[in-house]
Amino acid sequence: MTKDEQALLDWVIAEGGELRVTISRDEAGVRGLYTTQPVKKGEVIVSIPQHIVLSVKNVAAAEASPQLLKEIHSPCSRLRPYLDTLPGPDGVLTAYNWPEEYIKYLADPAMEEQLKNSFKLHARNTWLGHNDDEMEVTIPEAIGRKNITLKEWEHVVSLLSSRTFSIRKGALSLVPVLDLVNHDVRDINQLGNSSTVDLVAGKDLAAGEQVTITYGSMRNDELLMYYGFVDTVTEPPRLFSVDHRDFKLYEANPLSDSPLEGPPEVLRTELARLRGILTAFEARLDGLGPIPDTQPYVASLLRDAHDRRRRALHAEIGRLEQQLQGASGSGGEEL
Ligand SMILES: C[S@@+](CC[C@H](N)C(=O)[O-])C[C@H]1O[C@@H](n2cnc3c(N)ncnc32)[C@H](O)[C@@H]1O
């Protein structure tokens, strides 16, 4: 644990918080929360008083971010011990601060489109002041006459976007210590919000166990863009949302995990669609060549993402082939 992290824990306790966790890192170096003692199902693991929570209006991340920027730039912020532990520019990765040179290695037109023309464009437009009417606080109001580079702005937007909880209606909340909780899709620990923000154990935890919550049922392309990592737990990996049969760019329609059912023509159409995606994806990767290692974390994340996307497509293609073979009996359906 760093000195700043210890200072954060001491400050939270001095402010009335209750902690049965400490801050540590896993084998891959990812920082997270770990229990300091056994915790029984239903017991509070972390309790944070409301007065050290920073809540901003629940609007698009880039429009809410000046409030965080203002705190970061204020030398006497009441949240200083918390702000000092926020990751620096190299410690947070989202679509907002995704490095330009790595955009093409997403190797997917829909992902590249969203990253460039939704996330990055939005960050840029807010930085240029085009969305000031939508903002409670503008960037100049947050930092006065100082300047901020686009890179610095993308970093702040990424921090806000990847660390807030929706625990209060109409607000996005940055909760000291609790924003150090990592994601595990299988988790059942619960966040509650009353006079304190509490994390309650969904199962018995041993001392020294990592405490996680689920950030939601996101697919790997969404996790990559919103949080800069991919799910390494789910096997076989789930299809990327851009590969799902019901995916429509910029439409938030629910994407079911139920296997496609229907007559053989429907299954064959889906099989051909997925095979087409896989072929186009492999051709794109071949055309791009090796991913440069300029930023090793981004390069390695992309390699993991490609591997998971490929395996998800193979798994679904295999499942459909089997289903069609089953439907045609022992005669062997033309696939
Ligand atoms: C709310 S923060 C959690 C604390 C963060 N690890 C830290 O040190 O500040 C969310 C970020 O944690 C990381 N993260 C969370 N869950 C992860 C996981 N399962 N695998 C890898 N990184 C994860 C990602 O960088 C993500 O954007």
Side-chain angles (χ1 to χ4, degrees):
M1 195 175 1
T2 65
K3 259 171 69 183
D4 283 345
E5 289 161 359
Q6 184 61 59
L8 168 73
L9 300 184
D10 294 344
W11 170 69
V12 167
I13 290 168
E15 293 292 335
E18 286 169 35
L19 305 178
R20 297 169 84 182
V21 291
T22 188
I23 301 169
S24 190
R25 285 159 177 78
D26 67 11
E27 329 71 66
V30 179
R31 182 171 64 166
L33 294 180
Y34 292 77
T35 51
T36 47
Q37 55 196 277
V39 183
K40 288 244 169 287
K41 179 178 173 181
E43 289 179 354
V44 172
I45 315 170
V46 174
S47 177
I48 302 295
Q50 292 281 2
H51 70 270
I52 57 168
V53 172
L54 174 63
S55 286
V56 301
K57 200 172 166 193
N58 188 357
V59 288
E63 276 140 32
S65 293
Q67 283 155 286
L68 173 59
L69 184 68
K70 189 173 176 178
E71 289 295 329
I72 292 173
H73 276 252
S74 162
C76 49
S77 167
R78 70 196 164 94
L79 303 174
R80 183 51 49 201
Y82 166 64
L83 301 170
D84 287 345
T85 60
L86 289 173
D90 295 334
V92 56
L93 177 68
T94 69
Y96 294 107
N97 69 342
W98 192 264
E100 293 286 337
E101 69 162 314
Y102 284 105
I103 295 179
K104 63 182 178 193
Y105 293 98
L106 292 168
D108 179 80
M111 283 176 75
E112 289 168 50
E113 157 65 30
Q114 290 175 78
L115 195 126
K116 277 193 282 199
N117 293 327
S118 177
F119 290 90
K120 276 193 162 290
L121 187 64
H122 198 63
R124 190 180 171 77
N125 281 339
T126 46
W127 177 68
L128 288 169
H130 295 340
N131 294 38
D132 280 2
D133 287 351
E134 311 285 326
M135 295 183 174
E136 283 204 321
V137 178
T138 64
I139 297 176
E141 283 164 0
I143 59 172
R145 289 160 70 93
K146 279 182 236 155
N147 282 329
I148 179 173
T149 64
L150 178 58
K151 201 163 181 287
E152 286 166 326
W153 176 237
E154 287 176 344
H155 169 230
V156 177
V157 178
S158 293
L159 282 176
L160 190 94
S161 163
S162 63
R163 309 184 76 80
T164 43
F165 297 108
S166 301
I167 47 174
R168 200 151 61 70
K169 213 169 141 199
L172 294 172
S173 300
L174 285 156
V175 188
V177 177
L178 281 178
D179 75 341
L180 291 167
V181 161
N182 289 324
H183 163 84
D184 187 327
V185 68
R186 301 161 297 186
D187 224 300
I188 49 173
N189 294 323
Q190 289 291 328
L191 263 190
N193 186 39
S194 52
S195 57
T196 50
V197 187
D198 294 340
L199 180 64
V200 176
K203 58 175 195 271
D204 291 353
L205 297 167
E209 232 182 280
Q210 178 166 194
V211 178
T212 51
I213 56 168
T214 170
Y215 295 177
S217 174
M218 274 178 276
R219 290 164 185 270
N220 275 327
D221 45 344
E222 298 163 312
L223 280 174
L224 182 141
M225 288 200 263
Y226 284 99
Y227 293 101
F229 70 94
V230 287
D231 165 26
T232 49
V233 167
T234 310
E235 288 296 341
R238 292 163 77 203
L239 280 180
F240 274 32
S241 61
V242 290
D243 295 337
H244 193 281
R245 57 189 182 271
D246 295 328
F247 172 80
K248 294 205 175 56
L249 192 61
Y250 300 133
E251 281 184 27
N253 46 331
L255 303 177
S256 165
D257 269 327
S258 310
L260 179 66
E261 301 288 348
E265 315 83 81
V266 171
L267 302 186
R268 266 196 296 271
T269 305
E270 175 65 353
L271 186 56
R273 190 186 72 83
L274 292 175
R275 283 175 173 162
I277 291 175
L278 186 59
T279 306
F281 176 53
E282 297 293 10
R284 183 86 206 275
L285 290 183
D286 279 350
L288 286 168
I291 304 170
D293 254 325
T294 337
Q295 297 197 37
Y297 179 77
V298 187
S300 133
L301 171 64
L302 280 163
R303 281 190 280 271
D304 279 355
H306 293 163
D307 173 57
R308 292 198 164 256
R309 184 178 187 194
R310 181 183 287 123
R311 290 203 289 116
L313 284 164
H314 277 295
E316 186 56 8
I317 287 169
R319 197 192 61 76
L320 285 165
E321 285 170 349
Q322 272 196 347
Q323 210 173 329
L324 276 164
Q325 259 156 8
S328 69
S330 53
E333 171 107 0
E334 177 58 44
L335 302 175

